[in-house]
PDB file of all heavy atoms in Angstrom:
ATOM      1  N   GLU A   1       0.807  -1.142  -0.029  1.00 96.00           N
ATOM      2  CA  GLU A   1      -0.006   0.079  -0.086  1.00 96.00           C
ATOM      3  C   GLU A   1       0.920   1.234   0.045  1.00 96.00           C
ATOM      4  O   GLU A   1       1.825   1.350   0.743  1.00 96.00           O
ATOM      5  CB  GLU A   1      -0.903   0.019   1.232  1.00 96.00           C
ATOM      6  CG  GLU A   1      -1.888  -1.061   1.318  1.00 96.00           C
ATOM      7  CD  GLU A   1      -2.597  -1.223   2.567  1.00 96.00           C
ATOM      8  OE1 GLU A   1      -2.118  -0.664   3.637  1.00 96.00           O
ATOM      9  OE2 GLU A   1      -3.773  -1.496   2.594  1.00 96.00           O
ATOM     10  N   GLU A   2       0.457   2.197  -0.775  1.00 96.00           N
ATOM     11  CA  GLU A   2       1.280   3.567  -0.834  1.00 96.00           C
ATOM     12  C   GLU A   2       1.057   4.260   0.386  1.00 96.00           C
ATOM     13  O   GLU A   2       0.042   4.608   0.894  1.00 96.00           O
ATOM     14  CB  GLU A   2       0.763   4.324  -2.031  1.00 96.00           C
ATOM     15  CG  GLU A   2       1.578   5.513  -2.415  1.00 96.00           C
ATOM     16  CD  GLU A   2       1.063   6.287  -3.535  1.00 96.00           C
ATOM     17  OE1 GLU A   2       1.129   5.664  -4.727  1.00 96.00           O
ATOM     18  OE2 GLU A   2       0.563   7.386  -3.487  1.00 96.00           O
ATOM     19  N   ILE A   3       2.233   4.576   0.953  1.00 94.00           N
ATOM     20  CA  ILE A   3       2.226   5.367   2.250  1.00 94.00           C
ATOM     21  C   ILE A   3       2.487   6.837   1.923  1.00 94.00           C
ATOM     22  O   ILE A   3       1.912   7.779   2.511  1.00 94.00           O
ATOM     23  CB  ILE A   3       3.371   4.839   3.214  1.00 94.00           C
ATOM     24  CG1 ILE A   3       3.177   3.472   3.500  1.00 94.00           C
ATOM     25  CG2 ILE A   3       3.473   5.683   4.447  1.00 94.00           C
ATOM     26  CD1 ILE A   3       1.927   3.150   4.264  1.00 94.00           C
ATOM     27  N   ALA A   4       3.464   7.166   1.008  1.00 95.00           N
ATOM     28  CA  ALA A   4       3.854   8.537   0.720  1.00 95.00           C
ATOM     29  C   ALA A   4       4.439   8.530  -0.608  1.00 95.00           C
ATOM     30  O   ALA A   4       5.134   7.648  -1.157  1.00 95.00           O
ATOM     31  CB  ALA A   4       4.743   9.047   1.733  1.00 95.00           C
ATOM     32  N   VAL A   5       4.286   9.749  -1.306  1.00 96.00           N
ATOM     33  CA  VAL A   5       5.099  10.116  -2.578  1.00 96.00           C
ATOM     34  C   VAL A   5       6.090  11.018  -2.190  1.00 96.00           C
ATOM     35  O   VAL A   5       5.830  12.273  -1.779  1.00 96.00           O
ATOM     36  CB  VAL A   5       4.145  10.654  -3.604  1.00 96.00           C
ATOM     37  CG1 VAL A   5       4.990  11.013  -4.857  1.00 96.00           C
ATOM     38  CG2 VAL A   5       3.086   9.569  -3.972  1.00 96.00           C
ATOM     39  N   LEU A   6       7.409  10.599  -2.198  1.00 96.00           N
ATOM     40  CA  LEU A   6       8.376  11.418  -1.794  1.00 96.00           C
ATOM     41  C   LEU A   6       8.945  12.476  -2.944  1.00 96.00           C
ATOM     42  O   LEU A   6       9.407  13.507  -2.622  1.00 96.00           O
ATOM     43  CB  LEU A   6       9.614  10.625  -1.334  1.00 96.00           C
ATOM     44  CG  LEU A   6       9.306   9.664  -0.166  1.00 96.00           C
ATOM     45  CD1 LEU A   6      10.409   8.804   0.061  1.00 96.00           C
ATOM     46  CD2 LEU A   6       8.878  10.458   1.045  1.00 96.00           C
ATOM     47  N   VAL A   7       8.748  11.945  -4.160  1.00 97.00           N
ATOM     48  CA  VAL A   7       9.221  12.817  -5.240  1.00 97.00           C
ATOM     49  C   VAL A   7       8.289  12.530  -6.356  1.00 97.00           C
ATOM     50  O   VAL A   7       7.981  11.386  -6.657  1.00 97.00           O
ATOM     51  CB  VAL A   7      10.663  12.444  -5.818  1.00 97.00           C
ATOM     52  CG1 VAL A   7      11.085  13.248  -7.117  1.00 97.00           C
ATOM     53  CG2 VAL A   7      11.735  12.673  -4.759  1.00 97.00           C
ATOM     54  N   ASN A   8       7.908  13.532  -7.046  1.00 97.00           N
ATOM     55  CA  ASN A   8       6.887  13.416  -8.286  1.00 97.00           C
ATOM     56  C   ASN A   8       7.083  14.706  -9.118  1.00 97.00           C
ATOM     57  O   ASN A   8       6.192  15.512  -9.167  1.00 97.00           O
ATOM     58  CB  ASN A   8       5.560  13.223  -7.855  1.00 97.00           C
ATOM     59  CG  ASN A   8       4.468  12.954  -8.880  1.00 97.00           C
ATOM     60  OD1 ASN A   8       5.050  12.539 -10.057  1.00 97.00           O
ATOM     61  ND2 ASN A   8       3.276  13.070  -8.659  1.00 97.00           N
ATOM     62  N   GLU A   9       8.242  14.598  -9.873  1.00 96.00           N
ATOM     63  CA  GLU A   9       8.535  15.904 -10.701  1.00 96.00           C
ATOM     64  C   GLU A   9       9.550  15.507 -11.794  1.00 96.00           C
ATOM     65  O   GLU A   9      10.258  14.389 -11.748  1.00 96.00           O
ATOM     66  CB  GLU A   9       9.042  16.950  -9.841  1.00 96.00           C
ATOM     67  CG  GLU A   9      10.460  16.575  -9.079  1.00 96.00           C
ATOM     68  CD  GLU A   9      10.830  17.620  -8.001  1.00 96.00           C
ATOM     69  OE1 GLU A   9       9.959  18.390  -7.711  1.00 96.00           O
ATOM     70  OE2 GLU A   9      11.987  17.641  -7.798  1.00 96.00           O
ATOM     71  N   GLU A  10       9.744  16.355 -12.659  1.00 96.00           N
ATOM     72  CA  GLU A  10      10.786  16.180 -13.786  1.00 96.00           C
ATOM     73  C   GLU A  10      12.076  16.578 -13.123  1.00 96.00           C
ATOM     74  O   GLU A  10      12.198  17.638 -12.429  1.00 96.00           O
ATOM     75  CB  GLU A  10      10.488  17.046 -14.928  1.00 96.00           C
ATOM     76  CG  GLU A  10      11.392  16.971 -15.972  1.00 96.00           C
ATOM     77  CD  GLU A  10      10.875  16.631 -17.408  1.00 96.00           C
ATOM     78  OE1 GLU A  10       9.760  16.164 -17.305  1.00 96.00           O
ATOM     79  OE2 GLU A  10      11.548  16.728 -18.380  1.00 96.00           O
ATOM     80  N   GLN A  11      13.164  15.680 -13.236  1.00 96.00           N
ATOM     81  CA  GLN A  11      14.358  16.004 -12.637  1.00 96.00           C
ATOM     82  C   GLN A  11      15.555  15.867 -13.749  1.00 96.00           C
ATOM     83  O   GLN A  11      15.419  15.121 -14.672  1.00 96.00           O
ATOM     84  CB  GLN A  11      14.743  15.091 -11.527  1.00 96.00           C
ATOM     85  CG  GLN A  11      13.803  15.176 -10.396  1.00 96.00           C
ATOM     86  CD  GLN A  11      14.381  14.504  -9.074  1.00 96.00           C
ATOM     87  OE1 GLN A  11      14.791  13.497  -9.129  1.00 96.00           O
ATOM     88  NE2 GLN A  11      14.035  15.133  -7.974  1.00 96.00           N
ATOM     89  N   ASP A  12      16.592  16.673 -13.501  1.00 95.00           N
ATOM     90  CA  ASP A  12      17.522  16.666 -14.297  1.00 95.00           C
ATOM     91  C   ASP A  12      18.576  15.508 -14.278  1.00 95.00           C
ATOM     92  O   ASP A  12      18.502  14.844 -13.205  1.00 95.00           O
ATOM     93  CB  ASP A  12      18.478  18.010 -14.283  1.00 95.00           C
ATOM     94  CG  ASP A  12      17.722  19.234 -14.741  1.00 95.00           C
ATOM     95  OD1 ASP A  12      16.975  19.223 -15.626  1.00 95.00           O
ATOM     96  OD2 ASP A  12      17.993  20.278 -14.052  1.00 95.00           O
ATOM     97  N   LYS A  13      19.387  15.263 -15.184  1.00 94.00           N
ATOM     98  CA  LYS A  13      20.396  14.089 -15.195  1.00 94.00           C
ATOM     99  C   LYS A  13      21.362  14.443 -13.985  1.00 94.00           C
ATOM    100  O   LYS A  13      21.605  15.500 -13.660  1.00 94.00           O
ATOM    101  CB  LYS A  13      21.151  14.161 -16.553  1.00 94.00           C
ATOM    102  CG  LYS A  13      22.247  13.281 -16.555  1.00 94.00           C
ATOM    103  CD  LYS A  13      23.067  13.564 -17.950  1.00 94.00           C
ATOM    104  CE  LYS A  13      24.334  12.596 -17.928  1.00 94.00           C
ATOM    105  NZ  LYS A  13      24.996  12.716 -19.221  1.00 94.00           N
ATOM    106  N   GLY A  14      21.676  13.411 -13.377  1.00 94.00           N
ATOM    107  CA  GLY A  14      22.721  13.348 -12.267  1.00 94.00           C
ATOM    108  C   GLY A  14      22.162  12.773 -10.988  1.00 94.00           C
ATOM    109  O   GLY A  14      21.136  11.944 -11.042  1.00 94.00           O
ATOM    110  N   TYR A  15      22.794  13.024  -9.891  1.00 95.00           N
ATOM    111  CA  TYR A  15      22.518  12.487  -8.622  1.00 95.00           C
ATOM    112  C   TYR A  15      21.473  13.335  -7.743  1.00 95.00           C
ATOM    113  O   TYR A  15      21.639  14.629  -7.912  1.00 95.00           O
ATOM    114  CB  TYR A  15      23.708  12.248  -7.646  1.00 95.00           C
ATOM    115  CG  TYR A  15      24.640  11.210  -8.291  1.00 95.00           C
ATOM    116  CD1 TYR A  15      25.672  11.578  -9.055  1.00 95.00           C
ATOM    117  CD2 TYR A  15      24.428   9.955  -7.817  1.00 95.00           C
ATOM    118  CE1 TYR A  15      26.503  10.629  -9.449  1.00 95.00           C
ATOM    119  CE2 TYR A  15      25.298   8.902  -8.226  1.00 95.00           C
ATOM    120  CZ  TYR A  15      26.364   9.198  -9.171  1.00 95.00           C
ATOM    121  OH  TYR A  15      27.148   8.325  -9.547  1.00 95.00           O
ATOM    122  N   HIS A  16      20.605  12.691  -7.097  1.00 94.00           N
ATOM    123  CA  HIS A  16      19.628  13.532  -6.412  1.00 94.00           C
ATOM    124  C   HIS A  16      19.336  12.881  -5.016  1.00 94.00           C
ATOM    125  O   HIS A  16      19.685  11.698  -4.891  1.00 94.00           O
ATOM    126  CB  HIS A  16      18.178  13.511  -7.124  1.00 94.00           C
ATOM    127  CG  HIS A  16      18.377  14.112  -8.547  1.00 94.00           C
ATOM    128  ND1 HIS A  16      18.139  15.512  -8.721  1.00 94.00           N
ATOM    129  CD2 HIS A  16      18.576  13.650  -9.684  1.00 94.00           C
ATOM    130  CE1 HIS A  16      18.330  15.797  -9.946  1.00 94.00           C
ATOM    131  NE2 HIS A  16      18.475  14.614 -10.473  1.00 94.00           N
ATOM    132  N   ARG A  17      18.762  13.527  -4.111  1.00 94.00           N
ATOM    133  CA  ARG A  17      18.542  13.123  -2.768  1.00 94.00           C
ATOM    134  C   ARG A  17      17.039  13.439  -2.390  1.00 94.00           C
ATOM    135  O   ARG A  17      16.459  14.367  -2.770  1.00 94.00           O
ATOM    136  CB  ARG A  17      19.283  13.882  -1.797  1.00 94.00           C
ATOM    137  CG  ARG A  17      20.058  13.296  -0.888  1.00 94.00           C
ATOM    138  CD  ARG A  17      20.895  14.200  -0.035  1.00 94.00           C
ATOM    139  NE  ARG A  17      22.093  13.467   0.230  1.00 94.00           N
ATOM    140  CZ  ARG A  17      23.147  13.784   0.982  1.00 94.00           C
ATOM    141  NH1 ARG A  17      23.052  14.924   1.545  1.00 94.00           N
ATOM    142  NH2 ARG A  17      24.007  12.969   1.326  1.00 94.00           N
ATOM    143  N   ALA A  18      16.509  12.506  -1.620  1.00 93.00           N
ATOM    144  CA  ALA A  18      15.084  12.641  -1.072  1.00 93.00           C
ATOM    145  C   ALA A  18      15.074  12.284   0.421  1.00 93.00           C
ATOM    146  O   ALA A  18      15.877  11.290   0.838  1.00 93.00           O
ATOM    147  CB  ALA A  18      14.018  11.725  -1.679  1.00 93.00           C
ATOM    148  N   GLU A  19      14.537  13.021   1.321  1.00 91.00           N
ATOM    149  CA  GLU A  19      14.451  12.761   2.595  1.00 91.00           C
ATOM    150  C   GLU A  19      13.145  12.291   3.043  1.00 91.00           C
ATOM    151  O   GLU A  19      12.136  12.713   2.672  1.00 91.00           O
ATOM    152  CB  GLU A  19      14.805  14.113   3.395  1.00 91.00           C
ATOM    153  CG  GLU A  19      16.267  14.492   3.355  1.00 91.00           C
ATOM    154  CD  GLU A  19      16.557  15.548   4.211  1.00 91.00           C
ATOM    155  OE1 GLU A  19      15.947  15.738   5.327  1.00 91.00           O
ATOM    156  OE2 GLU A  19      17.538  16.261   3.981  1.00 91.00           O
ATOM    157  N   LEU A  20      13.180  11.325   4.043  1.00 91.00           N
ATOM    158  CA  LEU A  20      12.039  10.631   4.671  1.00 91.00           C
ATOM    159  C   LEU A  20      11.942  10.992   6.051  1.00 91.00           C
ATOM    160  O   LEU A  20      12.823  10.648   6.828  1.00 91.00           O
ATOM    161  CB  LEU A  20      12.089   9.201   4.424  1.00 91.00           C
ATOM    162  CG  LEU A  20      10.927   8.381   5.196  1.00 91.00           C
ATOM    163  CD1 LEU A  20       9.584   8.801   4.543  1.00 91.00           C
ATOM    164  CD2 LEU A  20      11.216   6.870   5.049  1.00 91.00           C
ATOM    165  N   ASP A  21      10.925  11.640   6.468  1.00 90.00           N
ATOM    166  CA  ASP A  21      10.661  11.913   7.860  1.00 90.00           C
ATOM    167  C   ASP A  21       9.830  10.870   8.450  1.00 90.00           C
ATOM    168  O   ASP A  21       8.587  10.676   8.198  1.00 90.00           O
ATOM    169  CB  ASP A  21       9.846  13.188   8.160  1.00 90.00           C
ATOM    170  CG  ASP A  21       9.670  13.556   9.529  1.00 90.00           C
ATOM    171  OD1 ASP A  21      10.141  12.886  10.418  1.00 90.00           O
ATOM    172  OD2 ASP A  21       9.098  14.583   9.735  1.00 90.00           O
ATOM    173  N   GLY A  22      10.510   9.888   9.213  1.00 89.00           N
ATOM    174  CA  GLY A  22       9.724   8.725   9.614  1.00 89.00           C
ATOM    175  C   GLY A  22       9.098   8.897  11.063  1.00 89.00           C
ATOM    176  O   GLY A  22       8.737   7.826  11.675  1.00 89.00           O
ATOM    177  N   LYS A  23       8.933  10.033  11.462  1.00 92.00           N
ATOM    178  CA  LYS A  23       8.306  10.131  12.850  1.00 92.00           C
ATOM    179  C   LYS A  23       6.870   9.730  12.988  1.00 92.00           C
ATOM    180  O   LYS A  23       6.511   9.260  14.127  1.00 92.00           O
ATOM    181  CB  LYS A  23       8.487  11.617  13.362  1.00 92.00           C
ATOM    182  CG  LYS A  23       7.556  12.619  12.614  1.00 92.00           C
ATOM    183  CD  LYS A  23       7.689  14.031  13.134  1.00 92.00           C
ATOM    184  CE  LYS A  23       6.876  15.008  12.365  1.00 92.00           C
ATOM    185  NZ  LYS A  23       7.129  16.280  12.704  1.00 92.00           N
ATOM    186  N   ASN A  24       6.136   9.631  11.982  1.00 92.00           N
ATOM    187  CA  ASN A  24       4.696   9.114  11.935  1.00 92.00           C
ATOM    188  C   ASN A  24       4.702   7.726  11.493  1.00 92.00           C
ATOM    189  O   ASN A  24       3.526   7.190  11.256  1.00 92.00           O
ATOM    190  CB  ASN A  24       3.715  10.047  11.029  1.00 92.00           C
ATOM    191  CG  ASN A  24       3.743  11.361  11.657  1.00 92.00           C
ATOM    192  OD1 ASN A  24       3.781  11.567  12.780  1.00 92.00           O
ATOM    193  ND2 ASN A  24       3.647  12.375  10.644  1.00 92.00           N
ATOM    194  N   LEU A  25       5.889   7.068  11.233  1.00 94.00           N
ATOM    195  CA  LEU A  25       5.832   5.716  10.801  1.00 94.00           C
ATOM    196  C   LEU A  25       6.221   4.788  11.920  1.00 94.00           C
ATOM    197  O   LEU A  25       7.051   5.174  12.750  1.00 94.00           O
ATOM    198  CB  LEU A  25       6.695   5.479   9.656  1.00 94.00           C
ATOM    199  CG  LEU A  25       6.474   6.274   8.375  1.00 94.00           C
ATOM    200  CD1 LEU A  25       7.527   6.120   7.381  1.00 94.00           C
ATOM    201  CD2 LEU A  25       5.114   5.839   7.747  1.00 94.00           C
ATOM    202  N   SER A  26       5.767   3.567  11.976  1.00 95.00           N
ATOM    203  CA  SER A  26       6.248   2.586  12.974  1.00 95.00           C
ATOM    204  C   SER A  26       7.473   1.813  12.390  1.00 95.00           C
ATOM    205  O   SER A  26       7.725   1.844  11.286  1.00 95.00           O
ATOM    206  CB  SER A  26       5.061   1.685  13.365  1.00 95.00           C
ATOM    207  OG  SER A  26       4.650   0.879  12.252  1.00 95.00           O
ATOM    208  N   SER A  27       8.223   1.306  13.333  1.00 95.00           N
ATOM    209  CA  SER A  27       9.277   0.429  12.909  1.00 95.00           C
ATOM    210  C   SER A  27       8.871  -0.738  12.187  1.00 95.00           C
ATOM    211  O   SER A  27       7.756  -1.249  12.321  1.00 95.00           O
ATOM    212  CB  SER A  27      10.118  -0.086  14.218  1.00 95.00           C
ATOM    213  OG  SER A  27      10.701   0.961  14.893  1.00 95.00           O
ATOM    214  N   GLY A  28       9.591  -1.096  11.159  1.00 95.00           N
ATOM    215  CA  GLY A  28       9.091  -2.301  10.302  1.00 95.00           C
ATOM    216  C   GLY A  28       9.764  -2.219   8.985  1.00 95.00           C
ATOM    217  O   GLY A  28      10.712  -1.463   8.670  1.00 95.00           O
ATOM    218  N   ILE A  29       9.359  -3.121   8.129  1.00 96.00           N
ATOM    219  CA  ILE A  29       9.879  -3.226   6.680  1.00 96.00           C
ATOM    220  C   ILE A  29       8.884  -2.397   5.739  1.00 96.00           C
ATOM    221  O   ILE A  29       7.735  -2.420   5.855  1.00 96.00           O
ATOM    222  CB  ILE A  29       9.705  -4.691   6.301  1.00 96.00           C
ATOM    223  CG1 ILE A  29      10.750  -5.549   7.201  1.00 96.00           C
ATOM    224  CG2 ILE A  29      10.164  -4.851   4.883  1.00 96.00           C
ATOM    225  CD1 ILE A  29      10.726  -7.011   6.933  1.00 96.00           C
ATOM    226  N   TYR A  30       9.592  -1.602   5.029  1.00 97.00           N
ATOM    227  CA  TYR A  30       8.983  -0.749   4.040  1.00 97.00           C
ATOM    228  C   TYR A  30       9.522  -1.045   2.537  1.00 97.00           C
ATOM    229  O   TYR A  30      10.707  -1.619   2.579  1.00 97.00           O
ATOM    230  CB  TYR A  30       9.032   0.694   4.300  1.00 97.00           C
ATOM    231  CG  TYR A  30       8.328   1.076   5.505  1.00 97.00           C
ATOM    232  CD1 TYR A  30       8.785   1.027   6.830  1.00 97.00           C
ATOM    233  CD2 TYR A  30       6.991   1.471   5.462  1.00 97.00           C
ATOM    234  CE1 TYR A  30       8.134   1.291   7.852  1.00 97.00           C
ATOM    235  CE2 TYR A  30       6.217   1.709   6.565  1.00 97.00           C
ATOM    236  CZ  TYR A  30       6.700   1.668   7.733  1.00 97.00           C
ATOM    237  OH  TYR A  30       6.104   2.064   8.966  1.00 97.00           O
ATOM    238  N   PHE A  31       8.943  -0.626   1.544  1.00 98.00           N
ATOM    239  CA  PHE A  31       9.505  -0.745   0.214  1.00 98.00           C
ATOM    240  C   PHE A  31       9.412   0.663  -0.406  1.00 98.00           C
ATOM    241  O   PHE A  31       8.528   1.417  -0.025  1.00 98.00           O
ATOM    242  CB  PHE A  31       8.696  -1.734  -0.678  1.00 98.00           C
ATOM    243  CG  PHE A  31       8.830  -3.120  -0.241  1.00 98.00           C
ATOM    244  CD1 PHE A  31       7.908  -3.616   0.664  1.00 98.00           C
ATOM    245  CD2 PHE A  31       9.810  -3.937  -0.697  1.00 98.00           C
ATOM    246  CE1 PHE A  31       7.951  -4.890   1.166  1.00 98.00           C
ATOM    247  CE2 PHE A  31       9.955  -5.270  -0.253  1.00 98.00           C
ATOM    248  CZ  PHE A  31       8.912  -5.805   0.735  1.00 98.00           C
ATOM    249  N   TYR A  32      10.405   1.024  -1.218  1.00 97.00           N
ATOM    250  CA  TYR A  32      10.449   2.202  -1.975  1.00 97.00           C
ATOM    251  C   TYR A  32      10.637   1.819  -3.439  1.00 97.00           C
ATOM    252  O   TYR A  32      11.412   0.991  -3.829  1.00 97.00           O
ATOM    253  CB  TYR A  32      11.451   3.193  -1.603  1.00 97.00           C
ATOM    254  CG  TYR A  32      12.889   2.636  -1.491  1.00 97.00           C
ATOM    255  CD1 TYR A  32      13.706   3.047  -2.587  1.00 97.00           C
ATOM    256  CD2 TYR A  32      13.514   2.083  -0.500  1.00 97.00           C
ATOM    257  CE1 TYR A  32      15.008   2.676  -2.762  1.00 97.00           C
ATOM    258  CE2 TYR A  32      14.767   1.591  -0.526  1.00 97.00           C
ATOM    259  CZ  TYR A  32      15.551   1.904  -1.628  1.00 97.00           C
ATOM    260  OH  TYR A  32      16.805   1.585  -1.632  1.00 97.00           O
ATOM    261  N   LYS A  33       9.874   2.574  -4.355  1.00 97.00           N
ATOM    262  CA  LYS A  33       9.914   2.358  -5.728  1.00 97.00           C
ATOM    263  C   LYS A  33      10.161   3.654  -6.443  1.00 97.00           C
ATOM    264  O   LYS A  33       9.661   4.617  -6.122  1.00 97.00           O
ATOM    265  CB  LYS A  33       8.499   1.656  -6.285  1.00 97.00           C
ATOM    266  CG  LYS A  33       8.535   1.532  -7.672  1.00 97.00           C
ATOM    267  CD  LYS A  33       7.228   0.661  -8.113  1.00 97.00           C
ATOM    268  CE  LYS A  33       5.997   1.416  -8.409  1.00 97.00           C
ATOM    269  NZ  LYS A  33       4.980   0.679  -9.036  1.00 97.00           N
ATOM    270  N   ILE A  34      11.269   3.541  -7.291  1.00 96.00           N
ATOM    271  CA  ILE A  34      11.504   4.623  -8.080  1.00 96.00           C
ATOM    272  C   ILE A  34      11.222   4.369  -9.584  1.00 96.00           C
ATOM    273  O   ILE A  34      11.500   3.298 -10.135  1.00 96.00           O
ATOM    274  CB  ILE A  34      13.128   5.133  -7.950  1.00 96.00           C
ATOM    275  CG1 ILE A  34      13.327   6.377  -8.750  1.00 96.00           C
ATOM    276  CG2 ILE A  34      13.904   3.945  -8.379  1.00 96.00           C
ATOM    277  CD1 ILE A  34      14.686   6.995  -8.537  1.00 96.00           C
ATOM    278  N   GLN A  35      10.514   5.437 -10.210  1.00 97.00           N
ATOM    279  CA  GLN A  35      10.165   5.334 -11.605  1.00 97.00           C
ATOM    280  C   GLN A  35      10.799   6.549 -12.297  1.00 97.00           C
ATOM    281  O   GLN A  35      10.578   7.667 -11.896  1.00 97.00           O
ATOM    282  CB  GLN A  35       8.696   5.325 -11.788  1.00 97.00           C
ATOM    283  CG  GLN A  35       8.036   4.107 -11.238  1.00 97.00           C
ATOM    284  CD  GLN A  35       6.535   4.247 -11.244  1.00 97.00           C
ATOM    285  OE1 GLN A  35       5.855   5.161 -10.763  1.00 97.00           O
ATOM    286  NE2 GLN A  35       5.837   3.244 -11.865  1.00 97.00           N
ATOM    287  N   ALA A  36      11.740   6.370 -13.301  1.00 95.00           N
ATOM    288  CA  ALA A  36      12.384   7.487 -13.973  1.00 95.00           C
ATOM    289  C   ALA A  36      12.310   7.075 -15.450  1.00 95.00           C
ATOM    290  O   ALA A  36      13.142   6.204 -15.905  1.00 95.00           O
ATOM    291  CB  ALA A  36      13.677   7.740 -13.440  1.00 95.00           C
ATOM    292  N   GLY A  37      11.558   7.639 -16.237  1.00 91.00           N
ATOM    293  CA  GLY A  37      11.539   7.263 -17.632  1.00 91.00           C
ATOM    294  C   GLY A  37      11.109   5.753 -17.807  1.00 91.00           C
ATOM    295  O   GLY A  37      10.137   5.491 -17.093  1.00 91.00           O
ATOM    296  N   ASN A  38      11.887   4.916 -18.437  1.00 92.00           N
ATOM    297  CA  ASN A  38      11.618   3.549 -18.628  1.00 92.00           C
ATOM    298  C   ASN A  38      12.210   2.751 -17.473  1.00 92.00           C
ATOM    299  O   ASN A  38      11.894   1.502 -17.420  1.00 92.00           O
ATOM    300  CB  ASN A  38      12.232   3.065 -19.901  1.00 92.00           C
ATOM    301  CG  ASN A  38      11.572   3.644 -21.168  1.00 92.00           C
ATOM    302  OD1 ASN A  38      10.320   4.036 -21.077  1.00 92.00           O
ATOM    303  ND2 ASN A  38      12.189   3.831 -22.281  1.00 92.00           N
TER     304      ASN A  38
END
């Protein structure tokens, strides 16, 4: 189930960073999915 969308924008070539504030999340296993072009 989707918990949050951390990034949803057009980004330039190169390295990028995203921060997750986990204060409202409980300890446990989560998954993150990145979609960029294909």
Side-chain angles (χ1 to χ4, degrees):
E1 296 173 330
E2 188 176 296
I3 302 297
V5 177
L6 304 172
V7 175
N8 189 14
E9 60 188 20
E10 180 124 342
Q11 292 192 325
D12 290 326
K13 175 181 177 178
Y15 291 94
H16 299 274
R17 229 180 211 182
E19 290 190 24
L20 170 65
D21 182 3
K23 68 181 177 186
N24 294 326
L25 299 173
S26 59
S27 294
I29 297 174
Y30 293 88
F31 293 91
Y32 59 94
K33 179 165 86 170
I34 184 167
Q35 298 172 302
N38 294 328

